[in-house]
Amino acid sequence: MKRLILAALLTTAALPLSATAATATPQAAVLTAQRDGVEVTAGALKMRLIALADGVVRVRIARDGAYPEDASWAVLPEQRKARATVTATADGFTTASLRVRIGAGGAITFETLDGKVISADAAPVAIDGKSFTLRKSLPITEHFYGLGDKTGGLDRRGKEFVDWNTDAFGFTSADDPIYKSIPFFLSTGAPGGSYGILLDNTYRTWFDFGHRDADTLTFGGPDGPIDYYFVAGPSLAEVTRRYADLTGHAPLAPKWALGYQQSRYSYMSADEIREIARHLRADRVPTDVIWMDIDYQDRNRPFTTNPTTFPDLPKLTADMKAQGIKLVAITDLHIAKVETGYAPYTSGKRGDEFVKNPDGTDYVAPVWPGASVFPDFTQTKSRTWWGTLYKGFLEDGIAGFWNDMNEPAIFNTPTKTMPLDTVHRIASDDFAPRTGDHREIHNVYGMQNTRATYDGLLKLRPNERPFVMTRASYAGGQRYAVTWTGDNSATWDHLKLSVQQIINLGLSGFAYSAADVSGFAGGPSPDLLTRWFEIGAFTPVFRDHSATGTPRVEPWVDGPDHLAIRRRFVEERYRLMPYFYALADQNSRFGDPIVRPVFYDYPSAASMGCNQSMAFTLGKALLIAPPPSPESPQTYDVCLPAGGWYDYWTGLRAGTPEAATTGPIQSATQAVPTEHAKSERVLETPRLDRLPVFVRAGTILPRQPLVQSTAQTPSGPLMLDIYPGGECSGTLYEDDGTTLGYQRGAFFRQTVRCAATAAGVTVTFDGKEGSLAPWWKQIAVTLHGWQGPGRVTQNGASLGAESDVSAQTLRFTIAAPGKAARVTIEKN
Ligand code: MIG
């Protein structure tokens, strides 16, 4: 190994902001080149930088000369193996896309190969006893996202946060911490492009994005591994993809998870659930799921059923199934400490599965069932035991499960959780078998709870996709569960917050997320509930849920006018199901979020100047633009990024297209934008029954005929709306919706493209992937931005087509092409 002493770097300007443990004068860094990176010593500092992939570098810092163990709850073992080609340089190394430089004192700079700084230490790591602080310089151009569903708005800049999973009933839009700890943040605006950092430390950690010192990003913790992953872009999309690779992709959800879900704390009996189902069907509100909150249980004991109010679960699930409705049941992790007649306690006690006090006795504390014990999910064997508890409910026909209270929440204590000295017996993954106290395990406890549930379900039903929803989690938790934002409130402020939380969750690996539609606490005004339905219909998981004792919030509660609007939006979501499902497929393969900030796919949007605090995109194709002050009648501008957009509801060009609405028609596709169409602003006047939605020019959007549940096969053709423009494409995806057959080829995927020609438009279908035949036999195409009649030919044969001049459409139906095909549309 080659050793270099970087004496020259003593003269660099990068002086630490505060003294490191060693000295105020930076020590010369001594570099030892490694096959996968570099080892650095500088005075007392010792660290290793490992290039895991071209754009991913892990930084491991020793404390008292010793590196933390090479283990992780978040980062997959195979991802911790170095795969990049590293070239040693005088002051660090390069990969195919990244230059890493080590300065005086061991300060790290990440740069592009052409020398643009992505992120630079403002000072080398500072270690004080067990606590540590990492400092990076913070150019004024940078903005921060991620950290899961933390409050405080979309952009984290100027704020500080703590990771400590907390049962935060009634949290406000500024409270921190709340339920989850996802110590991963993303930055945009650095000279070298977007990047992300995962601080893989499960202890209570903190992050300061220029709050105390405007020019410095600092983060650290009181204890635990000093171990972080630097993830380069340069685009935000590349950062999220690399992060998904590192921490695992969310598995494809069952299709029904994308349907409308009706919940309330609490539906008190099987009869009440039947009545809710009857009412939803009578009102023709498409629905896939009804949720069973804690009141279905016997004395709040997990894995029991109240024999009086829920006397026959198999009959209830069968009755629901007949109506196309699945049931999801809550299964909290606290196990009632009941010595006789309660199987989960008996078997758990027998197997010694519970978290301990320091004196070796089981830790016992009050939660819903009264005195309870807590599974030690950090032991593989306890997770396995927990998984077996689901056998009965699966046999009864319950489709999915809800892991609540897993921060874990404890009653009657000011900390709302376990004492910090409770003992977890770690026996899992790459961790050395040892005990760890609750300081170390707290933030990862909920995630390991969902892992136990997910793995258990998969073992019990090996060919079915498990559906688990969790409140608490940690980085990588998307591998096991979807999530929701916990006990929000029925206020306009929370509606706005929910959009920002869902966006930041998507950037933090959790593509599938929900916020309680209506707000859990309080009780919404009719207008708020209606608006929440409208926006919820475009979020990944769409669940109406509310607290016991609050006003009811099922869709019908405010009379027929409100119901009509709410139903219309639920219906639109079901029409969009093929698009949602294609996004789910895309997420499982690449890690791309389903809901995104507008600047994710359209970076220029960030500087367009509109108030975009409520705007988001659903995939790349749809831009949803609710009023930024959701309760206000004030008009507002929507910024439409360059490239051209259509109004989703009318199908017409949005903004002020060059289309001759006055002068003579020049060409068939006159209303079609080009790639060079400029960005635009459109003025919106809020109206309760309108949610502005725009479609990117260049989109091929699949939709389906209305169904009342994803369990129904749509009748009629698949609908394909073509919105001509640059990079024109769309994807069709289908599988059986519930099994893992898709992993063995039983799926259908087909890319469709369009291109403008001198005479019109051509639409090409790529060859299909997968062995499944989709439900559609025909495809009803609507070509937008078309003026006057048109002539359609498919592989030479001509087809009938209908034009609508005022809608600027041409419609025709084709036989679904199972293989590559081309359709030509020309002006008559
Ligand atoms: O202490 O199960 O966030 O969604 O309805 C409250 C009852 C426990 C908290 C969850 C909420 C759920 C409620 N739970």
Side-chain angles (χ1 to χ4, degrees):
M1 297 283 166
K2 190 170 56 159
R3 292 195 143 225
L4 290 165
I5 300 192
L6 296 175
L9 289 166
L10 282 165
T11 60
T12 63
L15 289 175
L17 286 183
S18 74
T20 62
T23 156
T25 311
Q27 301 273 321
V30 179
L31 274 57
T32 309
Q34 311 267 311
R35 195 177 38 81
D36 55 7
V38 67
E39 179 151 39
V40 180
T41 56
L45 173 68
K46 187 171 137 194
M47 64 181 179
R48 284 208 58 196
L49 280 75
I50 304 148
L52 298 177
D54 286 339
V56 182
V57 176
R58 180 180 182 187
V59 180
R60 303 180 66 206
I61 299 177
R63 198 192 264 107
D64 299 326
Y67 288 110
E69 65 182 314
D70 185 8
S72 175
W73 302 105
V75 181
L76 300 165
E78 62 271 23
Q79 292 288 325
R80 280 183 274 120
K81 296 199 181 101
R83 298 175 308 283
T85 305
V86 165
T87 309
T89 61
D91 61 352
F93 63 87
T94 59
T95 71
S97 61
L98 208 58
R99 175 181 298 278
V100 180
R101 312 166 76 111
I102 308 300
I108 306 168
T109 300
F110 297 98
E111 293 179 358
T112 59
L113 291 180
D114 59 355
K116 295 199 188 77
V117 174
I118 310 170
S119 168
D121 280 0
V125 61
I127 302 175
D128 182 2
K130 286 186 167 173
S131 85
F132 65 95
T133 302
L134 295 150
R135 289 189 172 79
K136 313 237 171 229
S137 25
L138 185 46
I140 195 69
T141 48
E142 271 187 63
H143 295 276
F144 291 92
Y145 307 93
L147 293 185
D149 54 4
K150 285 187 169 298
T151 62
L154 196 58
D155 185 358
R156 309 278 181 218
R157 177 144 196 157
K159 294 158 200 152
E160 61 176 345
F161 302 90
V162 164
D163 268 350
W164 186 254
N165 293 1
T166 304
D167 178 0
F169 172 83
F171 69 88
T172 73
S173 55
D175 282 354
D176 183 70
I178 59 170
Y179 305 92
K180 282 174 264 302
S181 296
I182 305 174
F184 173 66
F185 61 84
L186 311 89
S187 157
T188 62
S194 296
Y195 66 89
I197 289 178
L198 167 67
L199 175 62
D200 192 11
N201 178 321
T202 59
Y203 287 71
R204 185 182 182 106
T205 51
W206 56 272
F207 302 83
D208 181 318
F209 300 95
H211 177 76
R212 284 185 221 178
D213 173 3
D215 301 328
T216 318
L217 159 68
T218 50
F219 53 101
D223 203 341
I226 315 174
D227 188 354
Y228 71 91
Y229 296 76
F230 178 83
V231 183
S235 70
L236 201 56
E238 287 160 299
V239 178
T240 55
R241 282 188 175 192
R242 293 204 165 107
Y243 176 74
D245 289 346
L246 213 51
T247 60
H249 295 204
L252 181 64
K255 195 195 256 183
W256 53 263
L258 298 172
Y260 174 68
Q261 316 203 23
Q262 183 64 56
S263 182
R264 178 168 170 87
Y265 169 29
S266 266
Y267 292 143
M268 299 304 294
S269 66
D271 287 343
E272 186 172 358
I273 285 177
R274 288 193 172 88
E275 172 54 23
I276 294 290
R278 188 204 60 75
H279 205 149
L280 287 162
R281 290 296 179 236
D283 280 348
R284 301 198 66 73
V285 178
T287 303
D288 265 78
V289 187
I290 297 179
W291 289 58
M292 291 161 49
D293 205 325
I294 53 173
D295 292 284
Y296 79 88
Q297 304 167 121
D298 180 15
R299 288 164 284 178
N300 286 332
R301 295 176 185 174
F303 303 101
T304 68
T305 309
N306 184 314
T308 318
T309 52
F310 286 83
D312 192 344
L313 216 45
K315 174 88 168 57
L316 179 64
T317 59
D319 291 352
M320 291 298 112
K321 187 175 179 203
Q323 302 178 61
I325 292 176
K326 303 257 190 312
L327 293 176
V328 171
I330 200 166
T331 52
D332 287 348
L333 56 92
H334 38 248
I335 295 295
K337 187 176 186 305
V338 175
E339 305 287 345
T340 51
Y342 177 49
Y345 182 77
T346 310
S347 63
K349 182 75 191 160
R350 192 190 315 122
D352 194 17
E353 314 293 1
F354 304 126
V355 173
K356 303 281 191 194
N357 290 308
D359 69 3
T361 57
D362 287 347
Y363 166 70
V364 182
V367 207
W368 286 117
S372 303
V373 291
F374 302 83
D376 194 351
F377 296 112
T378 50
Q379 302 191 92
T380 305
K381 88 169 188 52
S382 298
R383 289 199 303 270
T384 305
W385 160 79
W386 170 266
T388 64
L389 300 179
Y390 287 91
K391 185 162 185 283
F393 282 161
L394 281 187
E395 286 165 1
D396 291 347
I398 301 290
F401 297 93
W402 181 11
N403 287 166
D404 186 20
M405 304 292 277
N406 51 4
E407 293 72 30
I410 309 283
F411 289 169
N412 305 337
T413 162
T415 70
K416 299 183 187 173
T417 196
M418 289 181 188
L420 297 178
D421 62 357
T422 49
V423 179
H424 302 264
R425 289 158 289 171
I426 300 169
S428 185
D429 305 285
D430 299 332
F431 291 93
R434 58 180 173 86
T435 59
D437 68 19
H438 199 60
R439 286 176 190 85
E440 175 181 357
I441 296 306
H442 178 81
N443 281 342
V444 81
Y445 187 77
M447 176 197 188
Q448 296 308 307
N449 169 215
T450 64
R451 178 184 187 180
T453 307
Y454 183 91
D455 288 350
L457 294 173
L458 205 53
K459 202 164 178 186
L460 288 163
R461 260 188 334 193
N463 195 32
E464 289 284 302
R465 298 173 214 176
F467 176 82
V468 183
M469 163 115 111
T470 189
R471 196 168 68 175
S473 203
Y474 181 71
Q478 71 273 5
R479 301 196 294 266
Y480 314 118
V482 312
T483 192
W484 95 109
T485 62
D487 296 342
N488 60 355
S489 295
T491 65
W492 292 98
D493 188 40
H494 265 275
L495 170 58
K496 180 166 184 160
L497 174 64
S498 73
V499 168
Q500 298 168 341
Q501 290 179 299
I502 287 168
I503 290 173
N504 271 320
L505 279 168
L507 294 174
S508 312
F510 282 82
Y512 295 99
S513 67
D516 290 354
V517 166
S518 86
F520 181 72
S525 69
D527 285 7
L528 172 57
L529 182 54
T530 294
R531 192 57 108 189
W532 214 317
F533 262 94
E534 295 173 3
I535 294 170
F538 290 92
T539 60
V541 177
F542 181 22
R543 188 183 71 141
D544 173 291
H545 181 61
S546 54
T548 183
T550 61
R552 311 259 337 187
V553 294
E554 286 85 3
W556 55 80
V557 294
D558 298 304
D561 293 349
H562 280 284
L563 172 61
I565 302 174
R566 294 167 191 171
R567 181 201 292 119
R568 188 156 56 75
F569 279 85
V570 180
E571 288 177 347
E572 202 57 41
R573 182 187 181 92
Y574 276 80
R575 290 202 185 88
L576 278 168
M577 197 54 75
Y579 180 58
F580 270 100
Y581 206 38
L583 289 176
D585 167 53
Q586 190 187 341
N587 171 259
S588 79
R589 291 189 298 145
F590 305 113
D592 300 346
I594 294 173
V595 157
R596 311 166 182 179
V598 181
F599 52 79
Y600 181 93
D601 289 299
Y602 308 98
S604 69
S607 53
M608 284 178 71
C610 294
N611 178 348
Q612 301 192 73
S613 56
M614 280 290 276
F616 61 94
T617 57
L618 176 63
K620 189 180 180 180
L622 298 185
L623 191 161
I624 293 89
S629 301
E631 74 285 25
S632 168
Q634 174 146 26
T635 58
Y636 63 103
D637 276 345
V638 176
C639 279
L640 299 175
W645 294 81
Y646 294 79
D647 182 312
Y648 175 75
W649 305 108
T650 64
L652 298 172
R653 274 301 310 284
T656 48
E658 53 277 31
T661 37
T662 48
I665 288 173
Q666 305 291 325
S667 79
T669 54
Q670 189 170 4
V672 170
T674 66
E675 266 156 285
H676 311 295
K678 291 201 173 52
S679 63
E680 289 191 76
R681 284 166 173 255
V682 285
L683 184 71
E684 285 287 343
T685 303
R687 241 177 49 204
L688 185 62
D689 64 350
R690 172 174 164 79
L691 177 67
V693 177
F694 301 93
V695 190
R696 181 185 79 90
T699 293
I700 298 184
L701 188 67
R703 294 187 309 146
Q704 68 180 33
L706 185 60
V707 290
Q708 295 297 310
S709 156
T710 63
Q712 252 171 24
T713 303
S715 85
L718 181 81
M719 287 126 68
L720 211 53
D721 283 74
I722 300 179
Y723 302 87
E727 291 175 41
C728 179
S729 74
T731 302
L732 312 181
Y733 178 78
E734 179 65 338
D735 59 28
D736 66 23
T738 56
T739 77
L740 296 176
Y742 75 94
Q743 295 178 348
R744 301 181 297 269
F747 66 91
F748 174 90
R749 190 185 299 118
Q750 189 168 37
T751 301
V752 191
R753 303 166 204 276
C754 91
T757 63
V761 174
T762 58
V763 179
T764 49
F765 290 79
D766 288 2
K768 66 165 186 144
E769 297 166 55
S771 61
L772 186 110
W775 57 264
W776 58 88
K777 303 289 168 276
Q778 292 192 304
I779 298 181
V781 178
T782 302
L783 175 62
H784 294 267
W786 185 266
Q787 320 253 351
R791 196 153 36 83
V792 181
T793 49
Q794 182 180 5
N795 299 342
S798 71
L799 303 167
E802 229 177 274
S803 82
D804 180 332
V805 174
S806 63
Q808 301 190 352
T809 57
L810 189 71
R811 293 163 178 275
F812 54 92
T813 299
I814 59 171
K819 49 183 193 207
R822 166 189 291 260
V823 179
T824 309
I825 303 130
E826 289 169 324
K827 184 142 176 67
N828 261 358

